[in-house]
């Protein structure tokens, strides 16, 4: 049995408290009025050249005869050029003063979104780790893998965060639905009233249906997780394979349910932040991110517990296998990242490409830096077979991968919510600390609930003697 | 005069692995082992150095990547930077996404093919090469071990090999 050390408990609690304080500060520091924004920007101006002056302007030219509506793409100040016949007339800029006020109001909304978005990114990031681990766990069952059963309890412990983490994400979605924040622009009836594109999508993007869907995904995942865990515990005392067979079927069923709901979840929770944009491989892209983060977390936790002497049957070959998965799925993530980017870059269709233009202009370091942390780093460090067995190498690469995938979620969410006003400051770091503490607490607490080695699994003997 | 070797034939791979361990412990020298299929762990038991084929492959991959970059940079950017469908051909990086598929494929192509050719050369395999098989049965169901007789007493060595489970032993001069 694992016993939660008081040191770890204390660290987790300190993380949570510090994170919570930082977040509260973030919410208090967010400006309430346009005047405050002006003040903040005036005091900041001498520092970095803030994006205020060079707010990206895009001029979309439409074919003659087409009706054009002036729209406010999130994070953008877009002026659509009106065309009537052959005349190209610039959209009326209106009086300078009102335009300027509009601009500051825009910044105000972004800054008000900042602590919310920081909270949302961190909540989703830690939630997706446990979801990724659950998917990996189910795959191990469905594939009848012979190497991994010694790691099952570690995986089960990480998935313990699924329900609490999912509830937090759900609460955040409900709060958005109650208009306490402006994370999801399509939830704002005023925006929708002037936006035909969103209007056409309201059959799918409306708050009640959105929350019902979220409840179905979360309920389904938590349900499968609960049953898998329950059977796994029962298997410890079982004399036959009944519970193993049950789990095998459950895992297969979960994987079918998961791939459908995961894809829809990524449309709902992330892609709908940019309701004017869509991409067909988006679900896979988010899946790759959560899958590799989950596997990395399994590897880091296994190494930690092994060092502490709790996993005597885990050897370097198990770590080697996990590192291979980290390596392979990192490349898979990059493949999807690039496929999505390159197809849109290549065809350069304005309605699709704004998504990447915004990211490349406002988030260049993060957007391309992700490729270094999520691709080049793991590829070079984990390519060598010997390095995959060096535990501190795996830990180091794992930490970089996790940071990289946090940034991935950050770049998915932030441009649509805070636009060019992003900064990784107190609210962002605090939110990560808060959820890191919560995650650690729940996961390690769950580890104490069951023996660290499963019994009754028909593959356990093979797994104990696994050697690569 | 060619040195003497003993050909010991084993009928089972487990027996062979055990024999290899015993023979190495007794400090006899194993020249070569002929097997009908890969025996897992034989190379470790024999103490063979690990292959460096993967390292060559990595280097070949880097060569392939360089070739792809140099080729496309010269053709598309330097030699004749045409405007093809509005693609930005002002610098390599501006147009890089379009080159990535080729960069990837050439990396794989070089890594794979040159590694295979390296393998053929290092293991001396080519068409019309005469087979070096000492006993035709080794491609079917028996394992043959070639042990250097060198300065050892032939009778002692033969006895020893019989004890390790060899079913046939032949002296080759």
């Amino acid at each position: 049995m694992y016993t939660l050390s008081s040191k770890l408990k204390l660290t987790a609690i300190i993380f949570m408290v510090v994170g919570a304080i930082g977040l509260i500060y973030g919410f208090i520091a967010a400006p309430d009025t346009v005047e405050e924004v002006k003040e903040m920007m005036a005091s900041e101006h001498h520092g970095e050249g803030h994006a205020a002056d060079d707010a990206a302007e895009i001029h979309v030219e439409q074919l003659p005869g087409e009706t054009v509506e002036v729209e406010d793409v999130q994070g953008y100040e877009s002026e659509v050029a009106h065309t009537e016949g052959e005349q190209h007339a610039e959209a009326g800029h209106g009086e300078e003063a009102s335009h300027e006020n509009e601009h500051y109001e825009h910044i105000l909304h972004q800054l008000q979104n900042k602590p919310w978005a920081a909270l949302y990114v961190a909540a989703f990031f830690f939630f997706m780790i446990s979801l990724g681990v659950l998917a990996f766990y189910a795959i191990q069952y469905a594939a009848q893998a012979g190497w991994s059963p010694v790691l099952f309890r570690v995986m089960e412990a990480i998935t313990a965060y699924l329900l609490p983490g999912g509830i937090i994400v759900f609460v955040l979605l409900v709060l958005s639905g109650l208009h306490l924040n402006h994370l999801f622009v399509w939830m704002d009836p005023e925006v929708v009233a002037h936006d035909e594109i969103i209007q056409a999508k309201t059959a799918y993007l409306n708050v009640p249906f959105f929350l019902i869907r979220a409840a179905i995904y979360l309920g389904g995942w938590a349900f499968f997780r609960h049953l898998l865990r329950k059977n796994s515990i029962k298997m410890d005392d079982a004399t036959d394979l009944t519970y193993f067979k049950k789990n095998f079927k459950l895992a297969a069923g979960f994987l079918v349910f998961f791939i459908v709901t995961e894809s829809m979840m990524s449309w709902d929770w992330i892609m709908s932040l940019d309701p004017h944009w869509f991409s067909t491989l988006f679900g896979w892209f988010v899946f790759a991110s959560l899958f590799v983060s989950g596997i990395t977390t399994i590897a880091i936790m296994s190494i930690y517990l092994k060092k502490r002497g709790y996993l005597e049957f885990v050897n370097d070959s198990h770590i080697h296998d996990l590192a291979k998965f980290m390596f392979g799925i990192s490349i898979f993530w990059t493949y999807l990242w690039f496929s999505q980017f390159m197809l849109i870059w290549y065809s350069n269709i304005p309605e699709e490409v704004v998504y990447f233009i915004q990211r490349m202009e406002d988030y260049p370091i993060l957007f391309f830096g992700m490729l270094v942390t999520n691709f080049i780093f793991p590829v070079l460090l984990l390519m060598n077979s010997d390095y995959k067995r060096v535990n501190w190498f795996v830990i180091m690469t794992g930490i970089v991968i996790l940071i990289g995938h946090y940034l991935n979620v950050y770049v998915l969410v932030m441009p649509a919510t805070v636009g060019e006003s992003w900064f990784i400051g107190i609210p962002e770091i605090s939110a990560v600390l808060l959820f890191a503490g919560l995650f650690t607490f729940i996961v390690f607490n769950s580890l104490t609930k069951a023996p660290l080695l499963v019994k009754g699994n028909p593959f356990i003997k093979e797994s104990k003697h696994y050697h690569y | 005069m060619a040195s003497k070797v003993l050909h010991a034939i084993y009928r089972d791979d487990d027996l062979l692995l055990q024999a290899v361990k015993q023979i190495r412990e007794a400090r006899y020298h194993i020249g070569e082992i002929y097997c009908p299929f890969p025996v897992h762990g034989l190379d470790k038991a024999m103490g063979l150095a690990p292959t460096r084929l993967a390292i060559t492959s990595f280097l070949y991959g880097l060569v392939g990547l360089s070739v792809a970059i140099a080729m496309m940079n010269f053709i598309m950017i330097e030699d004749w930077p045409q405007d093809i469908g509005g693609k930005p051909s002002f610098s390599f990086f501006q147009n890089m996404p379009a080159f990535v598929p080729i960069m990837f494929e050439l990396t794989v192509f070089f890594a794979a093919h040159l590694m295979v050719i390296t393998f053929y050369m290092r293991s001396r395999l080519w068409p019309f090469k005469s087979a070096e098989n000492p006993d035709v049965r080794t491609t079917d169901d028996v394992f043959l071990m070639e042990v250097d007789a060198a300065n050892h007493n032939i009778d002692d060595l033969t006895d020893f090999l019989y004890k390790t489970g060899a079913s046939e032993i032949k002296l080759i001069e």
Side-chain angles (χ1 to χ4, degrees):
Chain A
M1 286 298 259
Y2 176 76
T3 44
L4 185 57
S5 69
S6 56
K7 231 192 224 167
L8 198 67
K9 210 168 168 180
L10 191 67
T11 316
I13 290 170
I14 290 173
F15 268 43
M16 279 190 269
V17 171
V18 171
I21 292 171
L23 256 179
I24 291 167
Y25 166 79
F27 277 105
I28 293 171
D32 293 321
T33 59
V34 174
E35 275 63 44
E36 275 180 60
V37 176
K38 285 182 186 170
E39 246 173 69
M40 277 172 77
M41 294 187 51
S43 64
E44 262 175 39
H45 244 295
H46 54 87
E48 337 129 29
H50 214 268
D53 296 313
D54 44 48
E57 290 187 10
I58 42 163
H59 296 271
V60 182
E61 287 190 12
Q62 294 267 340
L63 287 173
E66 300 244 331
T67 49
V68 177
E69 82 252 52
V70 177
E71 54 187 0
D72 198 357
V73 184
Q74 264 311 92
Y76 259 101
E77 193 84 334
S78 84
E79 279 121 336
V80 181
H82 249 286
T83 50
E84 293 291 349
E86 286 131 354
Q87 293 157 310
H88 286 239
E90 290 272 301
H93 278 259
E95 308 99 66
E96 279 304 310
S98 81
H99 179 71
E100 201 171 295
N101 256 349
E102 229 169 70
H103 172 68
Y104 280 117
E105 212 168 290
H106 184 62
I107 301 277
L108 172 70
H109 285 310
Q110 294 185 340
L111 291 177
Q112 282 177 337
N113 262 341
K114 225 167 94 82
W116 282 104
L119 189 61
Y120 186 66
V121 169
F124 181 78
F125 174 69
F126 282 95
F127 169 74
M128 85 175 189
I129 288 178
S130 67
L131 185 61
V133 172
L134 186 60
F136 190 72
Y137 180 65
I139 288 171
Q140 299 305 307
Y141 259 113
Q144 306 198 357
W147 66 277
S148 52
V150 291
L151 297 168
F152 274 3
R153 281 290 143 81
V154 178
M155 297 183 205
E156 284 167 16
I158 299 173
T159 57
Y161 181 76
L162 190 78
L163 187 59
I167 289 171
I168 292 169
V169 172
F170 188 73
V171 166
L172 283 175
L173 297 179
V174 171
L175 294 180
S176 296
L178 296 174
H179 307 299
L180 288 175
N181 58 53
H182 296 93
L183 290 183
F184 296 90
V185 66
W186 57 265
M187 285 179 177
D188 189 343
E190 255 181 59
V191 172
V192 179
H194 297 105
D195 193 324
E196 280 182 38
I197 296 176
I198 300 181
Q199 275 167 28
K201 295 182 180 181
T202 44
Y204 188 78
L205 289 181
N206 60 76
V207 175
F209 188 32
F210 176 80
L211 291 178
I212 291 169
R213 282 195 311 265
I216 292 172
Y217 314 148
L218 287 167
W221 298 331
F223 177 69
F224 274 109
R225 190 266 163 190
H226 172 74
L227 289 183
L228 283 165
R229 167 76 167 181
K230 202 177 78 183
N231 287 338
S232 168
I233 299 276
K234 279 187 184 165
M235 214 188 294
D236 277 1
D237 307 316
T239 48
D240 56 8
L241 290 180
T242 327
Y243 290 111
F244 179 77
K245 284 181 186 161
K246 269 189 186 167
N247 259 7
F248 175 78
K249 284 176 196 156
L250 269 176
F254 167 75
L255 288 172
V256 174
F257 177 75
F258 170 76
I259 204 60
V260 176
T261 47
E262 189 276 333
S263 189
M264 293 178 73
M265 174 273 277
S266 65
W267 309 336
D268 283 7
W269 298 358
I270 298 181
M271 200 157 79
S272 84
L273 292 162
D274 292 280
H276 284 191
W277 184 79
F278 51 86
S279 161
T280 41
L281 63 68
F282 197 75
W284 280 108
F285 176 65
V286 173
F287 166 75
S289 198
L290 65 88
F291 202 49
V292 71
S293 318
I295 294 165
T296 305
T297 310
I298 300 173
I300 291 176
M301 270 194 57
S302 305
I303 292 173
Y304 169 79
L305 289 169
K306 189 174 132 69
K307 281 270 142 63
R308 284 293 166 109
Y310 288 109
L311 297 174
E312 46 182 319
F313 292 113
V314 172
N315 56 38
D316 282 350
S317 294
H318 295 105
I319 305 300
H320 188 137
D321 267 24
L322 286 170
K324 272 192 277 190
F325 269 108
M326 283 160 64
F327 175 78
I329 309 295
S330 283
I331 295 173
F332 178 63
W333 175 89
T334 315
Y335 165 64
L336 292 176
W337 181 92
F338 183 71
S339 302
Q340 181 167 285
F341 172 72
M342 196 263 240
L343 281 185
I344 289 173
W345 173 86
Y346 205 98
S347 55
N348 204 19
I349 301 170
E351 68 193 53
E352 288 178 348
V353 85
V354 284
Y355 186 81
F356 285 116
I357 288 179
Q358 189 191 3
R359 276 158 180 76
M360 286 162 75
E361 279 180 356
D362 295 341
Y363 297 73
I365 298 167
L366 296 190
F367 188 66
F368 294 110
M370 258 166 20
L371 281 182
V372 178
T373 58
N374 297 354
F375 175 62
I376 295 173
F377 203 78
V379 159
L380 290 182
L381 285 186
L382 293 180
M383 189 184 288
N384 191 318
S385 182
D386 295 331
Y387 291 176
K388 293 195 197 85
R389 312 177 86 87
V390 181
N391 287 354
W392 67 270
F393 247 84
V394 177
I395 295 253
M396 192 174 72
T397 319
I399 289 169
V400 173
I401 290 177
L402 285 181
I403 293 173
H405 284 277
Y406 170 78
L407 293 180
N408 181 30
V409 179
Y410 189 89
V411 173
L412 286 175
V413 171
M414 287 294 176
T417 51
V418 306
E420 69 270 29
S421 310
W422 70 276
F423 184 70
I424 297 188
I426 290 172
E428 285 78 9
I429 292 167
S430 306
V432 171
L433 286 182
L434 172 67
F435 285 102
L438 188 68
F439 182 85
T440 315
F441 188 78
I442 291 174
V443 167
F444 281 88
N445 203 36
S446 167
L447 270 180
T448 61
K449 301 278 163 64
L452 280 174
L453 185 67
V454 290
K455 273 189 286 181
N457 187 308
F459 296 104
I460 190 67
K461 190 150 190 184
E462 177 183 345
S463 179
K464 275 188 206 172
H465 300 292
Y466 176 69
H467 175 74
Y468 166 71
Chain B
M1 181 189 141
S3 61
K4 292 177 190 170
V5 291
L6 283 170
H7 279 180
I9 284 182
Y10 295 84
R11 299 221 167 256
D12 187 271
D13 49 338
D14 283 337
L15 211 57
L16 175 77
L17 269 179
Q18 220 174 9
V20 168
K21 274 172 206 153
Q22 288 169 355
I23 290 164
R24 289 196 72 214
E25 262 169 39
R27 302 236 163 255
Y28 291 117
H29 182 253
I30 299 171
E32 192 69 78
I33 296 181
Y34 298 88
C35 300
F37 55 79
V39 177
H40 192 76
L42 186 61
D43 52 338
K44 265 201 188 113
M46 287 173 72
L48 297 182
T51 173
R52 287 168 295 180
L53 208 54
I55 299 167
T56 65
S57 178
F58 179 73
L59 296 176
Y60 295 146
L62 292 184
V63 172
L65 184 63
S66 313
V67 167
I69 291 173
M71 176 181 81
M72 283 180 297
N73 186 47
F74 176 71
I75 296 173
M76 303 300 291
I77 308 296
E78 282 173 10
D79 190 35
W80 198 341
Q82 276 192 108
D83 181 343
I84 303 168
K87 286 279 163 290
S89 51
F90 310 108
S91 76
F92 183 77
F93 281 101
Q94 272 184 314
N95 210 357
M96 195 181 82
F99 302 149
V100 166
I102 299 160
M103 282 153 62
F104 170 76
E105 293 294 349
L106 277 185
T107 307
V108 175
F109 180 87
F110 273 62
H113 289 84
L114 291 182
M115 176 178 71
V116 167
I117 292 169
T118 307
F119 168 73
Y120 285 153
M121 286 165 64
R122 288 291 292 153
S123 42
R124 300 195 171 77
L125 284 174
W126 50 80
F128 310 114
K129 176 196 161 84
S130 56
E132 294 167 355
N133 202 353
D135 189 322
V136 285
R137 289 173 300 165
T138 59
T139 62
D140 185 13
D141 65 343
V142 304
F143 304 83
L144 188 148
M145 187 195 297
E146 198 179 274
V147 185
D148 259 335
N151 306 319
H152 304 296
N153 184 315
I154 302 286
D155 290 336
D156 286 355
L157 183 52
T158 313
D159 268 357
F160 182 79
L161 288 177
Y162 263 121
K163 273 177 201 152
T164 61
S167 57
E168 287 171 34
I169 294 174
K170 225 189 275 173
L171 178 66
I172 310 284
E173 297 202 42

